[in-house]
Amino acid sequence: MATPRLRRELEQALENVRHRTEGEASSYLSDVSDEQVDALGAAICDTDGVVTTAGDCDHVFPLQSVSKAFAYAVTLQEIGLEEVLAHVGVEPSGDAFNQPSLRRDGRPFNPLINAGAILTHGLIPGGTDGAREELLLATFSALAGEELEVDEEVYAAEAERADLNLSLAHLLAAEGVLPDDPREVVRGYLRQCSINVTAPQLAVMGATLAGGGVNPRTGDRVLDEGVVTQTLSVMMTCGMYDASGQWVAEVGLPAKSGVSGALVGVVPGVMGLTAYSPRLDSQGNSVRGIQLFEELSEQWDLHLLRHREPLAGLREARGER
Ligand code: GLN
């Protein structure tokens, strides 16, 4: 149930970070007409489907790299873990997201850096970029419980800046691992990054992961539980680019950020939490978003690695009741 106190605390947390006006918005935003670099919003969706919002929650923004986590889930759901792992690893790269980091066996380190995300996008079944996009949009919409769309203006801005991503795709093609034409896959990947959401819609997507793959607003099972566990594991270790280790230590939640300033975190079994604020730090993460998560993790005791009583299953195995 939405409680006034939860809303007040979310609003207060937002006010606590509002003064952080350092950092620059990503360059693609300068080509987008309704650019609002100081927009600030946050939203929660719990696993009962109750949404709590604060700040600019009607503002739409592209998922950008946040899409990588959900696209990984789509690919796992469609072709299975074994097939995905044969192509893309699950190790943090320690490098910036757009570096050509490939493991010695030619696989990208993980699906949340660009090389891995481009390949993961290419693994979505369908055979053409149109078919891949259709499946991706249908699943993202089911995760959000609302119809989502590609923002053509954002896509055009992304397409203008595609050199590095094209070079990564050509590298993958040279390794012989890319299933389709590099230009087609990059086009599809950039359109995936350009899918628009609001903070509450993204919170519902996060809550669907928190609920083990069932959308708490629609009741639909969108992903299998195993797919969710795999996705959250990679978000936990690799979700915040080369700041992932520090994030786990300070916030302790699986999460994913994007250069739009979007950030989604998942508290398994409990809720999806999102923040949106476009000014970025040097790693490409939202300055205010990070502080908001740090404060709320502390205040609401969300860190998953905090000391807790032994788990029920372990107690039972030890013969305790
Ligand atoms: N579209 C962007 C890119 O691939 C996404 C980057 C990001 O959000 N880190 O360059």
Side-chain angles (χ1 to χ4, degrees), residues 64-65 68 97 114 158 165 189-190 193 241 258-259:
Q64 290 287 14
S65 278
K68 295 170 180 171
F97 63 88
N114 284 22
E158 286 292 327
N165 284 321
Y189 160 74
L190 293 177
C193 289
Y241 312 128
V259 293

Side-chain angles (χ1 to χ4, degrees), residues 13 65 74 179 204 235 296:
S65 278
V74 172
V204 177
M235 289 167 73
L296 289 178

Side-chain angles (χ1 to χ4, degrees), residues 166-177:
L166 282 166
S167 76
L168 295 174
H170 282 287
L171 192 63
L172 293 164
E175 290 282 339
V177 294

Side-chain angles (χ1 to χ4, degrees), residues 3-14 52-53 299-300:
T3 66
R5 177 164 164 197
L6 185 70
R7 179 186 299 274
R8 265 201 315 278
E9 293 196 8
L10 190 62
E11 279 169 354
Q12 185 56 54
L14 215 58
T52 305
T53 60
Q299 187 176 337
W300 292 342

Side-chain angles (χ1 to χ4, degrees), residues 138-211:
T139 313
F140 280 24
S141 299
L143 288 163
E146 285 176 41
E147 208 66 38
L148 302 181
E149 284 177 0
V150 172
D151 186 321
E152 296 295 340
E153 200 182 12
V154 171
Y155 167 66
E158 286 292 327
E160 285 287 310
R161 296 166 173 77
D163 288 339
L164 203 50
N165 284 321
L166 282 166
S167 76
L168 295 174
H170 282 287
L171 192 63
L172 293 164
E175 290 282 339
V177 294
L178 201 65
D180 203 350
D181 177 77
R183 281 157 299 214
E184 293 292 298
V185 178
V186 167
R187 186 179 125 81
Y189 160 74
L190 293 177
R191 291 181 67 76
Q192 167 195 309
C193 289
S194 307
I195 295 173
N196 266 346
V197 290
T198 60
Q201 285 173 334
L202 183 53
V204 177
M205 295 175 83
T208 303
L209 297 181

Side-chain angles (χ1 to χ4, degrees), residues 72-155:
Y72 184 52
V74 172
T75 309
L76 288 167
Q77 183 72 29
E78 295 296 329
I79 69 170
L81 177 61
E82 204 180 325
E83 186 67 16
V84 177
L85 282 181
H87 289 86
V88 185
V90 291
E91 296 301 333
S93 70
D95 289 328
F97 63 88
N98 51 13
Q99 290 306 297
S101 313
L102 298 187
R103 295 173 62 92
R104 274 190 297 277
D105 61 10
R107 289 182 307 158
F109 272 80
N110 67 68
L112 304 184
I113 55 169
N114 284 22
I118 290 167
L119 181 48
T120 299
H121 177 89
L123 293 174
I124 296 171
T128 65
D129 58 344
R132 282 190 290 267
E133 181 170 318
E134 205 175 305
L135 181 55
L136 198 69
L137 269 175
T139 313
F140 280 24
S141 299
L143 288 163
E146 285 176 41
E147 208 66 38
L148 302 181
E149 284 177 0
V150 172
D151 186 321
E152 296 295 340
E153 200 182 12
V154 171
Y155 167 66

